[in-house]
Each structure stands twice: as structure tokens, then as C-alpha cells.
Amino acid sequence: METTETTYDVKVYKILTYKGARKTTHTVRWVVAGKRWREPFGTVALAEGFRSELISATGKGEALVIATGLPVSHRSKAAAMSWYKFAVEYVDARWAQLGGNSRKNLAKTMTATTIALLRTKPAQFEPAAVRTALREWAFNKNQRAAAPGDVAVILKWVERNSSARLGLGGAGQGR
């Protein structure tokens, strides 16, 4: 059994916003036992959510893994939860706080991200049908339970073929 080094020596910085010509990136920065970490996000809400998780973990007295820069609790969650399941739960958690246009934009963002993270492209379904199923049904808390049969088939396929690991913290490897 491998031993994982953990520490309580953590410092979380405020979100760094970079406004480029084509897009804006919001980067969460933190230091774990002297090792710098950063994780970029496309929206300030996603960045704030991730930063909040780091601060909450340290506030609860949870150790962070030095090798990954993430709280100990993230190991099992990331390995057990697919991207699709995470995205649906995230939409459900944010739903009540968002207005109509924000809900639409969140659904569009989650749809594009989910399609990008599929293990294989859905050859048996029309690409537009997959996007519609995700945008209008999966990422719409009020409509999800009423999805028609053909949409349910697509969503089950997406759930099975979604990335098995969230990969939180993977892109920010010690930068």
C-alpha cells in the first residue's frame, strides 16, 4: 500500500482573471507545502466553486495531498464520479440561483464540455440530437424527468461514455 504525503500547509489566493482577445480565463491559484498550483476555468462561477472547495476543505481541517494539490476527499470523488454525473449535479445545485438566460448559458456550456469529454463520438446518433438532448433535457432540472424515450436512450449512452474521471487539478500540475 502506497503512502500519500499530505499537509495542512496551504495558502489559497484570490482568482486571477485574464482577459484575452478571444476569451477570458479565471485561474484559481494555491500553494501546498511550497508547491504552486493553478487551475484555469472558463467562467468565474466555476473558478469560485473550485476555490471555495479548497477553502472549505482547509476550514474543515482536511489535509491536502502534496502530489496533487487537492484535498484528500477529492481522490475518491474524482475516481468515482463521471463528468456527466458531476455536470448534472452541478446544474442542479446552481439552478435555483440562476435566471433564465444564465440557465441557458450554463446548459450550453455544459453541453459543449460534455461532448468534448466523451470517450467516443456518438456515431449511432445525429450530433444535433445529442446536443439537444444534453442542452434541453439533461442540463434542465425541470425537464430532465420528462425526457422522451429517444432522448433517454441518448442520455444513457452519454452517461456510459462520459469520462470516468473528473481530473480536477490535473491541468494545473505544479505550475
Side-chain angles (χ1 to χ4, degrees):
M1 182 173 173
E2 69 180 85
T3 58
T4 305
E5 287 190 57
T6 60
T7 185
Y8 297 97
D9 179 17
V10 179
K11 186 170 186 176
V12 180
Y13 299 102
K14 66 181 186 175
I15 295 170
L16 179 68
T17 302
Y18 170 77
K19 293 186 181 194
R22 295 180 184 230
K23 69 177 186 174
T24 301
T25 304
H26 307 277
T27 303
V28 177
R29 301 168 300 138
W30 71 105
V31 176
V32 178
K35 187 173 181 181
R36 294 178 185 197
W37 295 90
R38 57 191 302 131
E39 189 70 33
F41 294 91
T43 67
V44 72
L46 291 173
E48 286 174 350
F50 183 74
R51 183 177 182 273
S52 174
E53 287 180 39
L54 292 174
I55 292 170
S56 177
T58 59
K60 289 188 266 184
E62 184 177 346
L64 273 74
V65 178
I66 296 171
T68 64
L70 298 174
V72 172
S73 63
H74 274 234
R75 281 185 300 185
S76 60
K77 286 181 189 173
M81 185 180 289
S82 72
W83 163 258
Y84 176 79
K85 183 173 179 174
F86 169 79
V88 168
E89 287 183 13
Y90 180 79
V91 167
D92 289 354
R94 298 279 298 148
W95 194 260
Q97 294 103 16
L98 298 175
N101 282 333
S102 295
R103 288 175 181 174
K104 277 195 250 181
N105 290 333
L106 178 60
K108 287 178 183 179
T109 301
M110 291 300 195
T111 296
T113 306
T114 301
I115 289 172
L117 293 175
L118 290 174
R119 282 188 224 125
T120 60
K121 297 300 170 206
Q124 68 273 39
F125 306 113
E126 289 293 322
V130 176
R131 288 191 305 273
T132 301
L134 288 168
R135 186 183 63 247
E136 302 295 327
W137 302 94
F139 301 131
N140 183 330
K141 184 177 179 179
N142 295 339
Q143 296 295 323
R144 189 177 310 122
D150 58 331
V151 170
V153 169
I154 292 171
L155 295 179
K156 284 185 192 295
W157 184 91
V158 169
E159 187 172 7
R160 284 192 314 271
N161 288 280
S162 179
S163 297
R165 247 184 126 239
L166 286 177
L168 293 173
Q173 295 293 330
R175 287 188 262 167

